[in-house]
Amino acid sequence: MRIKYDVHIATLKERPLELGKIVSGSILGLGGGLVILAGGWIFTIATCLVAYQATQEFYGFVTSKGISAGMEPPPPLVSALTSLMCICLSVWTYASNGRSTAALAVSSFALLSLQLLMVNKLKFSQLASSVFGLFYCGYLPSFWIKLRVLSAPAINSTALHGWPVLFGGISHWTVGLIATFMAVACTIAADTGAYAFGKTLGRTQLISISPKKTVEGAIGGLMCSTLVALAFWRFLRWPAQAGVAVGLALLIFLASLCGDLIESVMKRDAGLKDAGDLIPGHGGLLDRFDSYIFTGAIVYFILKFVTPLFGL
């Protein structure tokens, strides 16, 4: 009787956490959809906020006892400037219509030079962590802006003709808008499918970095990502070929998985369960957005350079 009572109390305690997770996840999803639809400076400001919070949590890893015991973290001033430069990278990417590579080089030079001047016994770990933070938290998120500003008109889908007034007309539905929606939707599907299949059918461990990830979960995530991509092809007529949709779904799934695993490595070395407590039920922002870190860059690269090369 005592065991049943304890289980009942534990279940009641878990319900508020689950409810908070559902509510916060729904708010994030709705807000994210509206931000993607708006585009422009609204999308850019949202990316800046993500970049800022990501750098705060990244340096939380770097300065944790687990990591700082093995390597010296950068000075607080460098951490603060990294946050500022990550924000500036997003602003520059939008203002320059997608040009951010040179800005990354200049920002890296500034961070490294500053440490040469202000740190007496400079360590390689300080240089490496500051540049990686700039790349991981600033440069990679800026690719979502590059993707969103792609201005080529989307395939003229009959599914969009019913929404001309409310959503800005058919001309508003550019490749950048639909591709961003598809990348986000496929990432959500991959994460959800991997969790659901892994929890119900998971038996075979996928990788030692994250013991809870299973082969069955990965297969489920890939299937869900593919179904979502094919739904975009079928109902919105984008991409134009089903094969391209399947290829994008596969790459998005791999990008989301790798992003998740890389953050797992950082959390493991830092000795932390979560990157933070910003989002109720989800942990820190990186715990929620780690799957998106590489996705924008990969989808942008495929659409900008690979599909035109093959006339797709």
Side-chain angles (χ1 to χ4, degrees), residues 227-250:
L227 288 174
V228 168
L230 287 174
F232 271 79
W233 165 75
R234 174 66 178 82
F235 296 107
L236 297 183
R237 294 291 184 260
W238 192 93
Q241 293 85 18
V244 175
V246 172
L248 283 172
L250 172 61

Side-chain angles (χ1 to χ4, degrees), residues 180-198 216-232 248-250 252-254 256-257 288 291-292 295:
T180 304
F181 265 126
M182 177 179 167
V184 170
C186 286
T187 302
I188 293 172
D191 285 348
T192 305
Y195 175 79
F197 277 73
E216 295 81 4
I219 293 172
L222 177 58
M223 289 171 54
C224 291
S225 178
T226 302
L227 288 174
V228 168
L230 287 174
F232 271 79
L248 283 172
L250 172 61
I252 290 170
F253 165 74
L254 292 175
S256 67
L257 177 61
R288 182 66 272 173
S291 299
Y292 299 86
T295 307

